[in-house]
Amino acid sequence: MVRISEDLIRRRAEHNNCEIFSLEEVSLHQQDIERIEHIDKWCRDLKILYLQNNLIPKIENVGRLKKLEYLNLALNNIEVIENLEGCESLQKLDLTVNFVGRLSSVKSLSQNVHLRELYLVGNPCTEFEGYRPYVLACLPQLQWLDGTAIGRAERIRAGQDIDGLRGRILEQEAEYVEKREKQKGLAHTHTGVDSSISEEDPDIWKQRPNPESPPTQNLHTDVSSHSTDTLEEREFWEKPCAFTPESRLEAHRHLEEKRRQKEKMREPNSKTKPPRALVTAEGRVLNINEAKLDFSLNEDEDNNCVLLDLHVYRHLDTSLLDLDVQPSYVRVTVKGKVFQLVLPDEVKPDSSSAQRSQTTGHLLVTMPKARGEIKVHKTDKPKPLCNTATDNGKARAISGCERLEVDPSKGPTVDLANIVSKENYTTHGPLHLCQRLQPCGGQEKPVSKQFLDDPEVPPLI
């Protein structure tokens, strides 16, 4: 019995970075699952759920999926439509080729007000008289049934005689339930074909299809064409049986048992392939590329390191990569396949780093060299803006710079000795008056007779 495990869902959620809590779509088809469990607790945001081609006998543990919009349960062993009332957003339900015989259970979908499409093709209930009008009367929200659009006139006719239609459906359903009880008893006793059932419904009993044999197998074919099959194997597949959930489960278990026997017979005779040698007996490391990936190996002299660009598949999950850096070689395991490359120089494994490109998915491994120094970038010395050399006081252009040179004797230096002109001599100096100030007009102003020259008073400037 295959169980739904956390590891199984994570492996199916690679498109969501293996995160299951925020998962919106998961495909669990063809996994031989026999029970729905844990999904409603682990994937609350699920919108699309694929469970077709399994061995599920009952719809359960999906009522908490409030956001579920599409549920595919085709090719399973479901007999009753139930436990879907909690799927408030359900829009499409596929129950193709199951064993739904209790057509009255379709009324449980009336609470799914957003349900637009329903598929019941290949179920026993589709053979009931009045099957389609009954479903339309029970589910007025449907727009498509078994891939056929529902018209307004057809819906009105289905609701006109709902009471009589319900009675006929219940009678046929009771007959089917009685038949199923006999089939279950026959499956438990394993007594062979019941003649009473075969007379009532001879179409039930059919030759069990052998998936390993050609579809157009003739019973009178030469025995040599079936030499690979044992007598018991032919008897099992040629024995008539009813198409029931029990017979389908029995055929599945028979195939599993046969597969296990083949594996046991193959184990002693099979020769295990010796593992590929990564290092020779002399200790020489080999260059290996089992994954057949493109790569480029370069040396970055400025940063004194070795760069490996491995062209890993773009959508490959990083958890499937295993990197091992050694002083003389680097090894990358991609989904169990080894890529090993000898390095041109010794590197430092502890200082190495690796990262993946978000656009191409390539793996870039940076490995610093163990020897040598990091080279400093040499920058050119800045050229002088100008040269102060002069040539007879003339301007001279040097290195693209031009400056006008003048006589140093006529520079902007201050001559403190001649700061005051000798011609404009003032009386600023000793206390005694040496010279009379000349008036602006050039004539000397006569001194008043009453003027007394006080030597203690400083002269006016």
Side-chain angles (χ1 to χ4, degrees), residues 15-115:
H15 60 281
N16 199 43
N17 295 327
C18 297
E19 297 179 3
I20 64 175
F21 182 76
S22 60
L23 195 63
E24 295 185 355
E25 178 181 347
V26 63
S27 180
L28 299 174
H29 62 284
Q30 296 181 351
Q31 296 293 315
D32 297 334
I33 298 172
E34 298 186 21
R35 184 183 179 187
I36 305 175
E37 54 186 351
H38 306 308
I39 298 179
D40 58 336
K41 300 177 182 178
W42 296 341
C43 311
R44 291 292 184 89
D45 296 336
L46 208 60
K47 294 183 179 180
I48 301 175
L49 177 57
Y50 295 100
L51 287 169
Q52 67 270 26
N53 203 358
N54 284 292
L55 301 171
I56 301 172
K58 183 179 180 180
I59 303 176
E60 57 184 345
N61 298 324
V62 292
R64 296 182 182 180
L65 301 177
K66 305 297 182 182
K67 300 180 181 180
L68 186 65
E69 299 177 359
Y70 176 34
L71 176 60
N72 193 331
L73 286 167
L75 293 169
N76 279 281
N77 296 340
I78 297 172
E79 299 188 58
V80 181
I81 303 174
E82 57 185 347
N83 300 325
L84 291 174
E85 295 82 1
C87 302
E88 301 174 355
S89 304
L90 187 63
Q91 300 178 12
K92 182 177 179 180
L93 176 61
D94 193 347
L95 293 172
T96 304
V97 190
N98 274 272
F99 299 93
V100 178
R102 298 186 180 183
L103 188 57
S104 60
S105 63
V106 78
K107 292 190 296 185
S108 62
L109 298 175
S110 60
Q111 300 184 21
N112 303 98
V113 295
H114 299 288
L115 185 63

Side-chain angles (χ1 to χ4, degrees), residues 241-363:
C241 68
F243 182 64
T244 61
E246 293 79 17
S247 64
R248 187 167 181 263
L249 189 60
E250 181 185 3
H252 168 73
R253 291 175 177 172
H254 179 79
L255 290 174
E256 287 295 321
E257 182 65 24
K258 184 179 178 182
R259 189 177 296 111
R260 284 194 294 266
Q261 292 178 0
K262 287 184 177 180
E263 291 177 356
K264 290 180 180 180
M265 295 175 61
R266 194 181 298 112
E267 286 178 0
N269 300 329
S270 61
K271 296 181 180 179
T272 57
K273 187 178 180 180
R276 178 185 289 271
L278 304 179
V279 183
T280 62
E282 295 80 11
R284 184 171 61 89
V285 181
L286 301 176
N287 291 328
I288 301 174
N289 190 359
E290 290 182 341
K292 298 181 180 180
L293 299 174
D294 296 332
F295 68 94
S296 61
L297 185 66
N298 302 316
E299 294 188 30
D300 189 354
E301 298 180 355
D302 296 335
N303 297 320
N304 194 37
C305 61
V306 180
L307 302 177
L308 172 63
D309 185 6
L310 186 60
H311 299 184
V312 182
Y313 313 117
R314 180 177 180 180
H315 299 289
L316 180 67
D317 191 79
T318 308
S319 60
L320 301 177
L321 298 176
D322 186 16
L323 176 63
D324 182 17
V325 180
Q326 297 295 331
S328 59
Y329 66 92
V330 59
R331 180 185 301 162
V332 183
T333 305
V334 183
K335 296 182 65 175
K337 297 183 179 180
V338 179
F339 173 87
Q340 183 171 278
L341 191 64
V342 179
L343 301 176
D345 201 351
E346 185 177 354
V347 299
K348 299 178 181 178
D350 297 337
S351 303
S352 301
S353 62
Q355 60 182 356
R356 289 192 68 182
S357 173
Q358 295 183 354
T359 55
T360 62
H362 292 185
L363 179 66

Side-chain angles (χ1 to χ4, degrees), residues 136-405:
L136 300 185
C138 294
L139 304 176
Q141 73 273 25
L142 276 186
Q143 297 179 358
W144 294 78
L145 177 60
D146 298 335
T148 305
I150 302 173
R152 182 179 178 182
E154 184 182 14
R155 193 184 304 275
I156 294 175
R157 288 194 300 269
Q160 290 176 351
D161 189 20
I162 182 62
D163 294 333
L165 189 61
R166 184 183 297 109
R168 294 195 299 271
I169 292 296
L170 292 177
E171 292 178 0
Q172 298 176 77
E173 185 177 306
E175 295 177 0
Y176 175 79
V177 172
E178 183 180 357
K179 186 190 301 182
R180 277 292 297 136
E181 294 297 330
K182 293 181 180 180
Q183 292 175 353
K184 290 180 182 179
L186 180 62
H188 288 297
T189 55
H190 298 283
T191 56
V193 179
D194 191 345
S195 59
S196 61
I197 301 178
S198 60
E199 292 177 358
E200 294 178 1
D201 192 358
D203 295 335
I204 294 179
W205 303 97
K206 300 177 182 180
Q207 181 177 334
R208 183 184 284 109
N210 185 356
E212 297 184 0
S213 299
T216 58
Q217 181 179 354
N218 191 351
L219 297 179
H220 301 285
T221 310
D222 189 5
V223 181
S224 60
S225 62
H226 305 282
S227 58
T228 56
D229 295 337
T230 62
L231 180 61
E232 295 180 357
E233 188 71 16
R234 290 200 302 271
E235 289 180 355
F236 177 82
W237 294 113
E238 294 175 2
K239 181 179 66 175
C241 68
F243 182 64
T244 61
E246 293 79 17
S247 64
R248 187 167 181 263
L249 189 60
E250 181 185 3
H252 168 73
R253 291 175 177 172
H254 179 79
L255 290 174
E256 287 295 321
E257 182 65 24
K258 184 179 178 182
R259 189 177 296 111
R260 284 194 294 266
Q261 292 178 0
K262 287 184 177 180
E263 291 177 356
K264 290 180 180 180
M265 295 175 61
R266 194 181 298 112
E267 286 178 0
N269 300 329
S270 61
K271 296 181 180 179
T272 57
K273 187 178 180 180
R276 178 185 289 271
L278 304 179
V279 183
T280 62
E282 295 80 11
R284 184 171 61 89
V285 181
L286 301 176
N287 291 328
I288 301 174
N289 190 359
E290 290 182 341
K292 298 181 180 180
L293 299 174
D294 296 332
F295 68 94
S296 61
L297 185 66
N298 302 316
E299 294 188 30
D300 189 354
E301 298 180 355
D302 296 335
N303 297 320
N304 194 37
C305 61
V306 180
L307 302 177
L308 172 63
D309 185 6
L310 186 60
H311 299 184
V312 182
Y313 313 117
R314 180 177 180 180
H315 299 289
L316 180 67
D317 191 79
T318 308
S319 60
L320 301 177
L321 298 176
D322 186 16
L323 176 63
D324 182 17
V325 180
Q326 297 295 331
S328 59
Y329 66 92
V330 59
R331 180 185 301 162
V332 183
T333 305
V334 183
K335 296 182 65 175
K337 297 183 179 180
V338 179
F339 173 87
Q340 183 171 278
L341 191 64
V342 179
L343 301 176
D345 201 351
E346 185 177 354
V347 299
K348 299 178 181 178
D350 297 337
S351 303
S352 301
S353 62
Q355 60 182 356
R356 289 192 68 182
S357 173
Q358 295 183 354
T359 55
T360 62
H362 292 185
L363 179 66
L364 179 62
V365 185
T366 305
M367 298 166 284
K369 293 183 180 180
R371 305 171 190 172
E373 299 178 355
I374 299 178
K375 297 182 179 181
V376 181
H377 294 279
K378 294 183 179 180
T379 57
D380 297 336
K381 294 182 180 180
K383 298 181 179 180
L385 296 177
C386 60
N387 195 332
T388 57
T390 60
D391 184 10
N392 298 328
K394 297 181 179 180
R396 184 173 59 179
I398 301 178
S399 302
C401 178
E402 186 175 344
R403 170 176 286 187
L404 182 62
E405 301 295 341

